[in-house]
Amino acid sequence: MGFGDSLKIISGSASLPLSRQLSAELSADLVEVELSEFADGELYVRVPNGVEGENLLLIQSTYPNDKLLELFMLQDALSDSGMRSLTVVIPYFAYGRQDKRFSEGEAISSRAVARRVEVDAARVLTVDVHDKRVLSYFAGTAIDVSGMPALSRYFSENGVDMLLAPDENASRHAKVVGDLMKVPWDFLKKERIDSWTVETEEKALDVKGLDVAVVDDVISTGGTMASAARILSRQGARSVVAGCIHGLFVGGAEERLKVFDDIVATDTISSSHSKVSVAPELAEAVRGLS
Ligand code: R5P
């Protein structure tokens, strides 16, 4: 690894389980962080022990909103610590879906985040950022790491015959996982009506008697996934698994996802569905940095 022996990991509170896994993968120590809140809810952040001369990996998913603020505070705490370098790892890059101006006058939210993050970072790593366009908002080095091999490990261990993308945008994910597993993949077409409502076109799929995994980058309300699952069940799939990298599971998602036999997410966002870690993929990417 290009960092020699001096690599240390600092975890924000959104990414502790993944940071511990990565610490083990890279044999890099975790640095202590003190976090608390003032009476008015403002955050207090301190890195109490010196990190002078160290190469640091700061790991923090930026969901929900206060975790984004915590990341900024941690970066500031480190900014004049005398560290050798700072690599910021954002396993779930929130606001990645607002990656352009869909209507005149909108904020390009992912650009706003990128502009602040890069002030105190030598480089940035993300995991399956919603659109690679987001990487172009960083003036310096920004690398997106695919967590899809982690999902393919889980599906292989649990016997999946076929991959399905719930919309055209996710077809690249179904292809990657399908190719890794050497099983066929297909995709559906979806129209989003609003945050809570999607319409998925019915399409003839060759799924009778098969164990099928529906794969996407993000599960938010679960509407996209549930709509695909209903089509698969109507067409005779034997079992249906929902798989995503980033499991937000908001606003009734658990209820909507009851149509699935199993739900799997990675540890970019920690939840009861985080059944597989992207630490091996991130570790490999970190080893490739100089
Ligand atoms: C959107 O483009 C993403 O890839 C997901 O399909 C979307 O975020 C899923 O949202 P929901 O679970 O609310 O349908």
Side-chain angles (χ1 to χ4, degrees), residues 97 130 167 169 190 192 195 198 216-225:
R97 285 171 288 180
H130 182 66
D167 58 30
N169 198 34
K190 168 191 96 178
R192 179 164 291 285
S195 292
V198 297
D216 206 346
D217 58 343
V218 180
I219 295 178
S220 181
T221 67
T224 299
M225 282 285 179

Side-chain angles (χ1 to χ4, degrees), residues 22 84 92 99 111 120 161 178 184 218 243 249-250 254 257 280 290:
L22 198 54
R84 192 183 308 169
Y92 174 61
D99 54 3
R111 186 181 64 180
D120 294 309
D161 303 315
V218 180
F249 306 116
V250 300
E254 296 293 346
L257 294 170
S290 50

Side-chain angles (χ1 to χ4, degrees), residues 11-276:
S11 182
S13 61
S15 296
L16 277 166
L18 174 55
S19 296
R20 288 192 192 107
Q21 294 272 351
L22 198 54
S23 156
E25 289 276 345
L26 292 168
S27 303
D29 290 341
L30 282 166
V31 171
E32 189 186 335
V33 173
E34 289 176 15
L35 291 172
S36 58
E37 264 183 28
F38 291 103
D40 56 5
E42 288 186 359
L43 295 177
Y44 172 83
V45 170
R46 181 173 177 235
V47 179
N49 301 317
V51 288
E52 203 173 331
E54 305 284 5
N55 292 303
L56 301 175
L57 276 188
L58 170 58
I59 306 176
Q60 173 82 321
S61 282
T62 51
Y63 172 85
N65 282 327
D66 59 335
K67 305 302 178 189
L68 182 60
L69 201 52
E70 186 187 307
L71 172 65
F72 296 161
M73 303 291 171
L74 280 163
Q75 285 189 263
D76 190 74
L78 296 170
S79 63
D80 46 9
S81 64
M83 65 190 169
R84 192 183 308 169
S85 71
L86 179 63
T87 301
V88 175
V89 182
I90 308 180
Y92 174 61
F93 189 98
Y95 293 99
R97 285 171 288 180
Q98 184 75 36
D99 54 3
K100 62 180 179 188
R101 226 165 239 141
F102 297 90
S103 302
E104 194 58 31
E106 284 178 351
I108 303 175
S109 310
S110 53
R111 186 181 64 180
V113 174
R115 282 176 171 170
R116 171 60 192 88
V117 168
E118 73 178 355
V119 170
D120 294 309
R123 56 176 94 72
V124 175
L125 300 186
T126 55
V127 178
D128 291 295
V129 68
H130 182 66
D131 193 301
K132 297 268 199 281
R133 181 186 292 119
V134 170
L135 304 179
S136 70
Y137 295 142
F138 292 93
T141 305
I143 299 167
D144 190 53
V145 177
S146 174
M148 294 298 162
L151 284 183
S152 79
R153 282 197 293 281
Y154 183 86
F155 294 148
S156 296
E157 280 160 19
N158 289 277
V160 161
D161 303 315
M162 181 188 166
L163 272 297
L164 182 71
D167 58 30
E168 283 178 289
N169 198 34
S171 54
R172 62 203 159 99
H173 306 310
K175 177 176 173 15
V176 167
V177 179
D179 288 353
L180 282 168
M181 295 176 65
K182 300 189 179 23
V183 300
W185 63 276
D186 207 334
F187 67 95
L188 295 170
K189 288 186 181 170
K190 168 191 96 178
E191 193 189 343
R192 179 164 291 285
I193 312 299
D194 58 37
S195 292
W196 303 93
T197 324
V198 297
E199 276 171 13
T200 308
E201 262 179 44
E202 186 89 29
K203 166 183 174 181
L205 298 162
D206 200 6
V207 295
K208 206 166 178 53
L210 298 186
D211 299 314
V212 183
V214 188
V215 67
D216 206 346
D217 58 343
V218 180
I219 295 178
S220 181
T221 67
T224 299
M225 282 285 179
S227 186
R230 283 191 288 274
I231 290 173
L232 286 168
S233 299
R234 277 201 292 276
Q235 296 193 27
R238 184 167 62 178
S239 72
V240 187
V241 180
C244 69
I245 299 295
H246 313 294
L248 297 168
F249 306 116
V250 300
E254 296 293 346
E255 194 56 37
R256 252 172 238 113
L257 294 170
K258 280 187 174 155
V259 288
F260 284 93
D261 297 285
D262 187 17
I263 301 163
V264 56
T266 76
D267 52 358
T268 61
I269 299 172
S270 213
S271 77
S272 58
H273 303 300
S274 300
K275 297 174 182 168
V276 69

